[in-house]
Amino acid sequence: MITGLQLSLPICILAAVLFWTNSAGVFIPNLTEACYRCLCHVSTRCLTSHECTAGYCGPFNISRVYWIDAGKVTLPEDDSNRNHAWEDCARNYYCSKRIIEGYLEKFGKDCNGDGVTNCFDYMMINGNGGYGCTAPLNRSENGRRWLARYEECRHSLE
Ligand SMILES: *[C@@H]1O[C@H](CO)[C@@H](O)[C@H](O)[C@H]1NC(C)=O
Ligand SMILES: *[C@@H]1O[C@H](CO)[C@@H](O)[C@H](O)[C@H]1NC(C)=O
Ligand SMILES: *[C@@H]1O[C@H](CO)[C@@H](O)[C@H](O)[C@H]1NC(C)=O
C-alpha cells in the first residue's frame, strides 16, 4: 500500500525538476533558450565576437554593475575578485547567459503589467535596469532601437 508520505517524496522531486531548474533555485518563467537568443539579439544582434566597448562586454553587452547585481558569476574555476573575471565571463556566451540568469532571478517580474512574465519583460529589465523596469522603452532612441530588434526575434519565441 502506498501512503501519503511515500507519494510526496517523488512529487517533491518532480516539482524540483520542473520548476527549480536553475542554480539558485529560483524559477524564472519563460526564460527559454529562444529568449536568451532574443535578448542577445536585442543587445548586439548577438555579436559573439564583441569584446568590450565603453565598459560593456560580450554578446549581451553587459556592464560591470549589471554583473555585480547578477551575483558576480564567473567562468568555472575563476575568482570573482580577479580584475578581469567579469569581462571574461561576459564575453563568453554560455557564461554571460548565467549573468543574465542571475540578474533575472533578482529582478524578474511583469514590467509592462500585461499579466504575464515573459521575454518582453526581461528585455525591459535589461533595457531599463532592474530597479526601474516599468518605464516604456519607446521614450528613448536607444529603447526604440531595442523594441525594433525585439520585433525581429519575437516570432522565434512562440
Ligand atoms: C553596448 O552598449 C553601449 C551603451 O548603451 C552602446 O554604446 C554600444 O553601442 C553597445 N555595443 C554594441 C556592440 O551594441
Ligand atoms: C509565459 O509566457 C506565456 C506566453 O506569453 C504566458 O501565457 C504565461 O502566462 C507566461 N508565464 C508566466 C508565469 O507569466
Ligand atoms: C509608447 O508605448 C506606450 C505603451 O506601450 C503607448 O501608450 C505610447 O503611445 C507609446 N508612445 C510613443 C511615443 O510611441
Side-chain angles (χ1 to χ4, degrees), residues 112 120 136-139 144 147:
N112 65 354
F120 189 85
L137 287 170
N138 62 7
R139 287 187 194 159
R144 286 190 291 273
L147 288 167

Side-chain angles (χ1 to χ4, degrees), residues 6-74:
Q6 281 172 309
L7 266 175
S8 64
L9 184 63
I11 287 169
C12 284
I13 291 169
L14 183 64
V17 168
L18 287 177
F19 298 110
W20 299 317
T21 50
N22 58 27
S23 45
V26 178
F27 174 56
I28 310 170
N30 290 313
L31 186 59
T32 57
E33 180 58 34
C35 176
Y36 278 115
R37 282 279 163 192
C38 190
L39 294 173
C40 188
H41 178 79
V42 167
S43 297
T44 68
R45 296 189 184 281
C46 214
L47 193 63
T48 50
S49 63
H50 179 232
E51 300 211 333
C52 297
T53 43
Y56 292 84
C57 299
F60 290 94
N61 214 19
I62 287 170
S63 70
R64 187 163 188 277
V65 172
Y66 186 102
W67 173 78
I68 291 169
D69 283 343
K72 300 187 177 178
V73 179
T74 67

Side-chain angles (χ1 to χ4, degrees), residues 134-154:
T134 59
L137 287 170
N138 62 7
R139 287 187 194 159
S140 70
E141 183 70 38
N142 212 35
R144 286 190 291 273
R145 199 177 67 222
W146 275 43
L147 288 167
R149 285 193 192 162
Y150 185 82
E151 281 307 307
E152 294 169 1
C153 55
R154 191 172 54 92

